[in-house]
Amino acid sequence: MSHDYLSLDWRNGPPPKEIIHRLEQVFTDVDDKTKSGTTLRTSQSTAKKAYSVVERDGHPIVMRHDNPSHRAYNGQVKFWSEAYTIAGSLVDMQAQEQMLKIRFIQYREVFPDTSMTLDQVKRILTDLALTIKVHPLALGVLAEDRGKFYLPDGVLVDATLISNIISRNKTNGSARFAKEKTFKHEQGVAATIPQLVGKLKVRIQNKRSVRAVIITEHANLSSLLMDDRFDINNCIVITLSGYPGYSTCEWIHMLSKDLLLQRLPWLMLTDHDFQGFHIFSKVKYGCRNSAWVSEISICPQLECIGPFKDDLTQSPALHRPDWEAQHRTDHPRKGDDAIAKAADEWETRCSRKIERKFTAASAADKSLHKSFQRTGWLKYEPVLEEELRIMLKQPSKFRVADLTQASTRYLQTFLETKIEEKSPAKTAKAATEVEVRVPARRSPIGEIFKQIPSQTQHSGSALSAKAAVEDNTSPEPKLTESQLEALLDDPLANMI
């Protein structure tokens, strides 16, 4: 059975008059005694049969069914009285074309007559937005978003920022409310992700290419990731500061679609726990709490690099050669046996400290794991599924910062290793070689071979290929596809 899905984009929002009309219609239906109730599209992730994992462009994402998930009856006076208060303020904001940045206690300036908490206000705002089928940001209320990003030297991002979404929608997308801004490298400084970005484009000014895009949930890791002592600063770094909001997810999505960044490794560095994997799934697949914006806020090529349990338990052994070299420098009079003994003692101490870092899964963790299974994204991540299974059975949760137990520099070493493993150059080098049979020709050279020899695999030119042909000693010669094309495209190839 086919389903219709709810997919909202604030860039295509209706004008303020239409939003006001839809809000008024909702409460007109509530007051109509001839009706049994008003249909409400609730934003709660617990809404039954409201979410599915579907394929979009070959990638699974979490989508919201475009169907009512809750019947709000006239008898629910408390809910509708609170919603009416919020809707009244929204109508005033639309009429006055006034935006509100809602964070912490500031929401009481617009909603002074309510005793609701900030979370309750946000939930009702989202419920009303879904009910009238508009993106929550189109209502003019901007929730706090703490995402930041860091650009390496030579990388520029040209972005179109929208100053007032209400006025823009009123004037049918007028450029008067759009501002062009270029973000660039600033030494040791991370920029805040803007909240309303119409579009963006990446430019690279120097020959030094970007190696990868690293996303981490912890803002306090940014100083380590941007340290100029390491080559890691040749990466774009995005910090989420916990669960990302609409703006951060959209920013990541637009960067991932840029042609200059599309083929790069997109790596997620997160805590080894249920919340960390949940954040990863939200960025890559979307989540039920915001499934109506999944199509404009996911990063399909994102890959979780951990760290996983083995990465932490093996960190002392992997860092041991560096520790021994430093210890030998600090104690030049020590012999090899003394150095080895000291290294054994150091490795044992580190392993004991690491074992104490592991914690067991809580009841909330188990509940979160069940939600993973209900949503369905976990089946696409077998490595994470196995890690979660282990976490449920034995204490194995830990934080990213625990990688520094072996050394404060080991986190950098870990990242360098992962980036090298995932780099396009590494992948190309490991490509499968293709055996190509070349027919013999009348030329004496053509008579002596039936296949191109293997020593031409890394020559990179047609001339070197022909030179190897003349001195053929390989019993099972092979040639990669790119080298075959170079050979056949060379006008001198006919001489063979």
Side-chain angles (χ1 to χ4, degrees):
M1 181 178 66
S2 62
H3 296 278
D4 293 328
Y5 297 97
L6 192 63
S7 184
L8 304 174
D9 190 338
W10 57 268
R11 299 167 186 81
N12 304 323
K17 286 186 178 181
E18 177 64 22
I19 290 180
I20 293 174
H21 171 72
R22 294 182 188 182
L23 287 171
E24 290 176 345
Q25 187 62 46
V26 169
F27 290 93
T28 299
D29 292 344
V30 172
D31 292 334
D32 191 344
K33 302 299 183 181
T34 64
K35 295 185 177 181
S36 61
T38 300
T39 299
L40 177 73
R41 288 182 181 84
T42 179
S43 60
Q44 294 301 291
S45 61
T46 55
K48 294 181 178 180
K49 298 181 180 179
Y51 308 91
S52 296
V53 175
V54 299
E55 295 282 341
R56 284 289 187 270
D57 298 325
H59 178 73
I61 63 175
V62 181
M63 296 289 291
R64 170 72 150 82
H65 293 288
D66 186 14
N67 63 333
S69 56
H70 179 60
R71 297 288 295 182
Y73 292 97
N74 298 331
Q76 296 178 318
V77 178
K78 182 179 179 182
F79 172 84
W80 285 112
S81 63
E82 293 173 340
Y84 186 81
T85 300
I86 293 176
S89 298
L90 292 176
V91 169
D92 292 339
M93 290 169 56
Q94 293 288 322
Q96 300 172 15
E97 301 178 27
Q98 174 189 358
M99 298 283 291
L100 168 67
K101 292 186 177 181
I102 181 170
R103 50 167 71 100
F104 301 113
I105 309 299
Q106 294 180 8
Y107 74 98
R108 292 195 182 278
E109 297 175 5
V110 177
F111 311 117
D113 300 327
T114 180
S115 59
M116 291 181 290
T117 64
L118 177 58
D119 288 338
Q120 290 173 324
V121 170
K122 288 180 179 178
R123 179 176 62 82
I124 293 181
L125 280 170
T126 308
D127 287 349
L128 290 175
L130 298 187
T131 300
I132 64 175
K133 286 191 175 183
V134 299
H135 192 290
L137 293 181
L139 297 178
V141 182
L142 303 180
E144 182 183 24
D145 208 333
R146 296 171 292 177
K148 295 181 180 294
F149 67 99
Y150 173 85
L151 300 175
D153 190 20
V155 177
L156 305 177
V157 176
D158 299 322
T160 303
L161 309 184
I162 308 302
S163 58
N164 190 316
I165 184 62
I166 301 176
S167 300
R168 178 182 179 275
N169 289 343
K170 179 181 179 180
T171 57
N172 195 25
S174 173
R176 291 190 297 119
F177 303 100
K179 175 184 177 183
E180 301 297 330
K181 182 174 181 179
T182 298
F183 296 93
K184 59 183 180 180
H185 167 77
E186 294 185 38
Q187 184 65 42
V189 178
T192 300
I193 293 176
Q195 290 191 303
L196 296 173
V197 181
K199 58 182 180 179
L200 60 78
K201 182 179 180 180
V202 177
R203 290 185 289 142
I204 299 180
Q205 290 185 320
N206 55 27
K207 296 181 180 179
R208 181 179 167 187
S209 62
V210 181
R211 298 173 62 200
V213 181
I214 299 175
I215 302 176
T216 176
E217 62 172 301
H218 295 297
N220 57 5
L221 290 178
S222 60
S223 59
L224 180 64
L225 296 173
M226 297 183 296
D227 194 328
D228 281 342
R229 293 176 300 170
F230 302 94
D231 197 28
I232 198 72
N233 67 329
N234 202 29
C235 298
I236 295 176
V237 178
I238 301 173
T239 60
L240 306 179
S241 298
Y243 283 90
Y246 294 126
S247 302
T248 298
C249 289
E250 286 189 17
W251 180 264
I252 294 173
H253 173 79
M254 287 188 285
L255 284 178
S256 71
K257 293 295 183 181
D258 192 277
L259 294 178
L260 293 180
L261 305 180
Q262 209 168 32
R263 297 183 181 277
L264 291 179
W266 282 73
L267 310 177
M268 179 79 176
L269 182 69
T270 184
D271 289 337
H272 188 261
D273 58 21
F274 294 82
Q275 288 73 27
F277 291 174
H278 190 203
I279 293 173
F280 163 76
S281 71
K282 178 176 182 179
V283 178
K284 182 169 184 177
Y285 299 103
C287 70
R288 295 189 298 173
N289 284 328
S290 56
W292 47 90
V293 294
S294 291
E295 288 189 302
I296 61 170
S297 61
I298 62 166
C299 179
Q301 61 265 54
L302 187 63
E303 183 175 355
C304 183
I305 58 172
F308 303 127
K309 184 177 181 181
D310 288 345
D311 295 321
L312 182 59
T313 55
Q314 296 173 8
S315 60
L318 293 174
H319 188 68
R320 175 170 175 154
D322 293 338
W323 188 92
E324 287 182 348
Q326 183 62 46
H327 192 71
R328 192 182 301 276
T329 302
D330 296 339
H331 304 85
R333 295 185 178 181
K334 280 190 175 183
D336 291 343
D337 292 341
I339 294 292
K341 182 179 180 181
D344 289 339
E345 294 174 353
W346 169 84
E347 187 174 343
T348 301
R349 289 195 303 271
C350 285
S351 298
R352 288 174 180 172
K353 287 195 296 183
I354 286 172
E355 288 297 327
R356 291 196 293 268
K357 292 294 181 180
F358 292 128
T359 58
S362 64
D365 292 332
K366 296 175 182 179
S367 176
L368 190 57
H369 182 257
K370 291 180 180 179
S371 74
F372 295 164
Q373 295 175 319
R374 287 195 300 267
T375 304
W377 67 267
L378 200 55
K379 64 183 179 181
Y380 300 100
E381 300 288 340
V383 174
L384 300 190
E385 188 174 26
E386 176 63 18
E387 293 291 328
L388 289 170
R389 186 188 65 80
I390 296 173
M391 276 190 262
L392 290 171
K393 289 186 175 182
Q394 61 188 30
S396 54
K397 290 168 43 182
F398 64 89
R399 298 173 64 84
V400 171
D402 293 333
L403 276 183
T404 60
Q405 293 300 312
S407 168
T408 55
R409 297 185 57 178
Y410 184 73
L411 180 56
Q412 286 287 355
T413 303
F414 172 79
L415 281 172
E416 286 285 350
T417 303
K418 294 298 181 181
I419 293 172
E420 180 66 22
E421 289 177 358
K422 308 298 180 181
S423 65
K426 185 80 172 181
T427 304
K429 189 175 181 180
T432 304
E433 297 175 352
V434 179
E435 182 175 335
V436 182
R437 294 185 177 273
V438 180
R441 304 199 181 181
R442 295 181 180 180
S443 166
I445 298 178
E447 296 291 342
I448 66 173
F449 74 98
K450 302 297 182 182
Q451 295 175 326
I452 301 298
S454 59
Q455 58 256 46
T456 63
Q457 291 176 11
H458 305 292
S459 63
S461 70
L463 293 177
S464 59
K466 286 180 287 188
V469 167
E470 297 176 348
D471 184 21
N472 181 20
T473 58
S474 174
E476 297 182 0
K478 297 177 183 178
L479 186 67
T480 61
E481 289 181 337
S482 60
Q483 290 159 349
L484 175 64
E485 291 175 0
L487 180 63
L488 297 180
D489 291 341
D490 189 354
L492 298 179
N494 292 328
M495 296 175 58
I496 300 179

